[in-house]
Amino acid sequence: MTTSEDISRCVPEHDAQALPVAQARAIVRRWAQPVATAERVALRASLDRVLAEDVISPIDVPSHNNAAMDGYAFDSAVLADPAPGGSAELELEVAGQALAGHAFTGHVARGQCVRIMTGATIPAECDTVIAQEQTVRTGERIAFDARRISQGSNCRRAGEDLARGRAALTAGRIVRAADVGLLASLGVAEVAVHRRLRVAFFSTGDELRSVGEPLDTGCVYDSNRYTLGAMLARLNVEALDLGIVRDEPAALEAALRSAASCADVVLSSGGVSVGDADFTRRLFETLGDVGFWQLAMRPGRPLAFGRLWPTHRDDGLRPALFFGLPGNPVAVMVTFYQFVREALLAMSGAKVEAPLQLRATSSTPIKKRPGRTEYQRGVATRAADGTWLVAPTGSQGSGVLSSMSRANCLIVLAHEQGDVAAGAPVEIVPFDGLI
Ligand code: AMP
Ligand code: MG
């Protein structure tokens, strides 16, 4: 197992005061090891699960050569036959028909063809399909311009989609809608997937009230637990909502320990700054191994990360990975997507792919201090010439959750970067992918 000493060695410039985002990511990547166990689930239950094994195709898909168009199947050898009078027009006799699910069982002689529908098996003697629209049919004969077709046209070859014996999907793949269909096309009824990761989360703060309770003076509704629950649901983990924990060291210690005993990963929000009631970080320092707790980023400067032991660390129990997220609602979301998402995917056994990032033109100047990575909430639009334009949403305060709700992307301003001029290029990460 990796220890905190190893981590310090692998990140020599480790600066616990405000670690650059890239170095913090490297630490998270090292500590987030997959939770190995697997289970078998029915195909319909496999959506968004992570494959624990390669799925080897038991058949060729398609299983037979078949027509890609409605038309006529024939042997392309006739294309080389000289036509009477030097004309390019070719005539063939229709010997029968092939429908999807109903193959033509006769023999197709040279000079003959078979009426064929999309998906129907191409007779063994044929290798080419001419589309119906390109032919003229007169009785049991068709005529077409031989120059407009070449060998193999409009044929789907057996195994051209997936070849038997080859890996159709590989371990670590998150099963998407297309994959469920693909597995069905192989006749696969169930697959081996990693067990879902258990993620416990809670909010901290004496000022927090739950939805449904009256909002006392000076209090705020606890939105972080809802945001976290929703983000975790999208990642298809088993989320355990442990409620609100008061700003009392004993209550917080009990919450941290019980969360660590029932989950692979523990997420808390609030209490990681340097305020008088910020107990989360201080307790974490005694109950776990600290990877880092301050980052050179905005929002999200206070972010405690490391391992948390359920009891005494010599008891042999497995520690949970711990993220002490900031309290500010926008910072919770930004740090979740920058650090937690990747860790949860890696621990779930998934091959982690970086989110889609695009280059856009900033339509306004953006203030940015060098020496920290900034994530501004942006609205990206497509210009008439097909390029992307982006503008920050109004207030960028880390408590302004409506900015996150209005935005459709994050504008990522790199560590070294300074102010951005209007018209300058910036990187954006869109919130929504297609699938
Ligand atoms: P803290 O880091 O605990 O000092 O919290 C920073 C700010 O975030 C404070 O204004 C808190 O009221 C606010 N905050 C903390 N936790 C939550 C929460 N669960 N929901 C909404 N706001 C919160
Ligand atoms: Mg607090």
Side-chain angles (χ1 to χ4, degrees), residues 190-207:
E190 55 174 37
V191 285
V193 294
H194 286 284
R195 79 157 167 81
R196 288 161 82 212
L197 205 63
R198 276 190 288 277
V199 182
F201 63 106
F202 60 88
S203 296
T204 68
D206 286 349
E207 77 282 27

Side-chain angles (χ1 to χ4, degrees), residues 14 17-18 31 37 42 80 82 90 143 160 163 174 181 190 225 246 268 278 284 289 291 335 360 372 417:
H14 185 99
Q17 287 310 300
W31 291 38
T37 53
L90 195 64
E160 78 173 20
I174 299 174
E190 55 174 37
R225 231 157 19 99
R246 298 288 154 217
S268 68
D278 290 336
F284 171 44
D289 289 344
T335 51
R372 67 185 184 197
Q417 181 163 3

Side-chain angles (χ1 to χ4, degrees), residues 203-204 207-208 220-225 269-273 278 326-329:
S203 296
T204 68
E207 77 282 27
L208 301 180
V220 294
Y221 281 121
D222 172 11
S223 62
N224 288 346
R225 231 157 19 99
S269 72
V272 284
S273 304
D278 290 336
N328 277 309

Side-chain angles (χ1 to χ4, degrees), residues 289-366:
D289 289 344
V290 179
F292 55 80
W293 66 272
Q294 270 201 350
L295 296 181
M297 74 181 271
R298 193 179 123 137
R301 181 180 165 81
L303 171 63
F305 169 75
R307 264 194 295 264
L308 192 62
W309 264 267
T311 55
H312 195 267
R313 63 186 77 198
D314 301 328
D315 287 352
L317 294 173
R318 234 169 33 89
L321 206 70
F322 175 66
F323 289 90
L325 304 178
N328 277 309
V330 177
V332 166
M333 293 195 78
V334 170
T335 51
F336 184 94
Y337 284 118
Q338 294 310 309
F339 296 97
V340 183
R341 171 187 172 275
E342 188 175 330
L344 299 187
L345 290 175
M347 290 180 79
S348 300
K351 280 191 216 116
V352 182
E353 283 167 23
L356 178 66
Q357 189 155 325
L358 304 172
R359 180 150 298 180
T361 302
S362 181
S363 52
T364 61
I366 305 175

